């Protein structure tokens, strides 16, 4: 993998026009873009097709959580769009995760299935309220192990969790880490942020970065700078 491919730009914008402007502005500085619920709900699958047709890779972050049959069908549809990565909720259970992995592996494009463990917006007391015994970290490790056993290619995890997941589960799977800020940047509403260097050191494979690039006066320069920080941390 090229170091530059470790950077994923979160296209958290309201519409295709803005998305196109950002992607054009970034140019060669990044190749992979995350499309989430906001942009997908506004523009539908065409925004994914267009990005794929332009030679970019797409990480479709719709966090599927449904019965296995429905999730498998959604994975097949996403694979047909040409996405490289997609997300499911690990809490959908083994059967759902296996169905997602099987659907992905049987498709011609074989997207990587990434599992979300515990949303970072949830605290220990939120889990208690949901009837889950144990704290956030133990639940992350439990669901991470479940997703690995089901054959998922990777996990979405904060840098803090990444470290614990690597310790518990070893290598051989991808960890995608959001909440990354280049040294000296504004945190926005992210409570815990890490630098690219720290994220790589914690065991992250891919780094998702949104606002530090989207809101930069020169998005290409910002992406390039983060790409350089990643490359420096990898060597
Ligand atoms: O703008 P920022 O760099 O904070 O964007 C991070 C991206 O990662 C957003 O698309 C956000 O929804 C996503 N994300 C996150 N924290 C998580 C999971 C996903 O920030 N725990």
């Amino acid at each position: 993998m090229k170091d530059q491919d470790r950077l994923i730009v979160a296209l958290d914008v309201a519409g295709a026009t803005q998305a196109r402007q950002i992607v054009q502005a970034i140019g060669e500085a990044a190749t992979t873009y995350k499309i989430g619920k906001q942009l997908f709900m506004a523009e539908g699958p065409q925004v994914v097709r267009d990005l794929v047709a332009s030679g970019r890779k797409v990480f479709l972050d719709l966090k599927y959580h449904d019965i296995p049959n429905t999730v498998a069908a959604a994975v097949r549809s996403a694979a047909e769009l040409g996405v490289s990565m997609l997300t499911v909720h690990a809490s959908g259970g083994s059967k759902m995760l296996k169905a997602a992995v099987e659907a992905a592996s049987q498709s011609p494009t074989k997207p990587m299935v990434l599992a979300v463990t515990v949303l970072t917006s949830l605290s220990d007391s939120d889990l208690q309220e949901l009837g889950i015994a144990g704290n956030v970290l133990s639940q992350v490790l439990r669901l991470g192990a479940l997703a690995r056993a089901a054959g998922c290619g990777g996990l979405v995890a904060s840098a803090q969790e990444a470290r614990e997941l690597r310790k518990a589960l070893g290598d051989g799977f991808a960890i995608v880490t959001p909440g990354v800020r280049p040294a000296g940047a504004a945190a926005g509403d992210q409570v815990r942020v890490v630098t690219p260097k720290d994220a790589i050191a914690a065991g992250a494979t891919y780094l998702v970065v949104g606002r530090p690039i989207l809101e930069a006066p020169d998005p290409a320069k910002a992406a390039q700078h983060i790409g350089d920080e990643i490359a420096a941390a990898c060597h």
Side-chain angles (χ1 to χ4, degrees):
M1 190 194 340
K2 284 189 288 175
D3 296 335
Q4 194 206 35
D5 293 340
R6 293 178 184 271
L7 172 62
I8 301 175
V9 179
L11 271 180
D12 295 329
V13 294
T17 308
Q18 268 172 288
R20 217 173 291 120
Q21 280 167 357
I22 291 283
V23 172
Q24 265 166 20
I26 290 174
E28 305 290 303
T31 49
T32 309
Y33 291 86
K34 181 169 90 73
I35 294 182
K37 290 187 170 109
Q38 182 189 14
L39 183 57
F40 193 83
M41 291 308 136
E43 301 290 348
Q46 195 56 39
V47 68
V48 177
R49 290 192 194 98
D50 289 346
L51 211 52
V52 171
S54 77
R56 273 84 178 190
K57 288 186 187 152
V58 173
F59 168 14
L60 187 64
D61 184 21
L62 298 181
K63 298 187 179 70
Y64 300 148
H65 187 173
D66 212 313
I67 59 171
N69 191 53
T70 300
V71 168
V75 169
R76 279 192 289 275
S77 294
E80 274 168 32
L81 295 177
V83 310
S84 301
M85 307 162 123
L86 57 87
T87 44
V88 297
H89 271 289
S91 52
S94 280
K95 287 202 282 285
M96 188 205 84
L97 294 167
K98 284 180 185 161
V101 169
E102 192 183 322
S105 68
Q106 287 174 354
S107 75
T109 51
K110 301 187 178 22
M112 181 185 283
V113 176
L114 298 165
V116 175
T117 56
V118 177
L119 294 171
T120 46
S121 51
L122 298 177
S123 63
D124 290 347
S125 61
D126 292 318
L127 293 193
Q128 243 173 40
E129 192 179 52
L130 292 171
I132 295 166
N135 60 16
V136 169
L137 182 61
S138 65
Q139 185 69 0
V140 165
L141 293 174
R142 169 188 284 261
L143 292 176
L146 192 76
R148 281 286 290 145
C152 289
L155 301 166
V156 180
S158 70
Q160 212 174 17
E161 295 162 358
R163 196 177 290 282
E164 298 297 329
L165 285 163
R166 283 281 177 230
K167 223 191 298 173
L169 304 178
D171 295 324
F173 65 103
I175 295 183
V176 180
T177 299
V180 176
R181 294 291 176 270
D189 63 359
Q190 295 278 15
V191 182
R192 282 192 305 271
V193 297
V194 291
T195 62
K197 187 179 165 200
D198 293 340
I200 296 289
T205 317
Y206 299 97
L207 278 53
V208 177
V209 184
R211 287 160 292 180
I213 293 174
L214 305 190
E215 294 173 1
D218 183 344
K221 207 166 137 191
Q224 186 67 51
H225 177 69
I226 293 170
D228 290 347
E229 277 193 55
I230 294 172
C234 289
H235 298 287

